[in-house]
Amino acid sequence: ALLNCRDAVFNKMSKKSDEASMDIVENKDYSAYHAVSDSGPRVGDVIAFKIVEMGENYAPEVSEFKEGKVLECDGTNTVTFELLKMTKKKKTGKFENGEDADQEEKVQTFNWVELIEPRLLFP
């Protein structure tokens, strides 16, 4: 029998416990959190937000909520986040190269006006 790192018998049909915990994060109700104030974020804030990004069919789509800790901000112009909730990029397009990174960069900078529905999770 094959054992995983938690000394449990490996079963390829069962869902991993890590994936189960990811589902709990996915189902979080972000509408229950307060919107970020008009003055913008502060360094150290944990914010959930959506952005427009390229979808699987190469058309712009609104992303799922991303969570990030504010590392640096320039008022309401640019904000640098350390992404806490990472999403894997799917390689399904014919223009994708196998050498591309499988995951997003952990630290990203966005223009504040590009963020959709920014919600303050932790001050």
Side-chain angles (χ1 to χ4, degrees):
L2 293 173
L3 299 177
N4 65 15
C5 62
R6 294 189 179 104
D7 292 330
V9 176
F10 176 75
N11 180 359
K12 69 179 183 178
M13 301 305 279
S14 69
K15 194 175 218 186
K16 295 178 186 174
S17 61
D18 293 338
E19 290 176 5
S21 65
M22 291 282 290
D23 288 343
I24 294 170
V25 174
E26 294 292 329
N27 294 331
K28 191 183 281 189
D29 181 19
Y30 291 102
S31 64
Y33 295 97
H34 294 287
V36 178
S37 67
D38 293 335
S39 61
R42 296 172 296 182
V43 173
D45 285 351
V46 177
I47 296 175
F49 58 93
K50 296 179 183 181
I51 59 170
V52 175
E53 55 189 10
M54 191 180 317
E56 291 179 20
N57 60 356
Y58 298 102
E61 296 177 350
V62 176
S63 71
E64 295 295 318
F65 271 101
K66 298 176 182 286
E67 294 179 8
K69 181 177 181 180
V70 177
L71 299 177
E72 186 178 326
C73 61
D74 179 22
T76 56
N77 295 328
T78 60
V79 181
T80 302
F81 288 103
E82 175 187 359
L83 295 180
L84 304 175
K85 180 180 151 190
M86 303 291 285
T87 56
K88 283 194 173 187
K89 290 186 177 180
K90 298 176 186 173
K91 291 189 209 177
T92 57
K94 60 183 176 183
F95 300 112
E96 303 250 349
N97 187 344
E99 299 171 2
D100 292 340
D102 286 344
Q103 287 193 333
E104 308 177 68
E105 294 179 26
K106 192 167 174 96
V107 176
Q108 291 187 357
T109 302
F110 299 100
N111 286 325
W112 181 250
V113 295
E114 293 175 351
L115 301 183
I116 301 168
E117 298 180 43
R119 301 285 181 176
L120 184 63
L121 301 182
F122 186 77

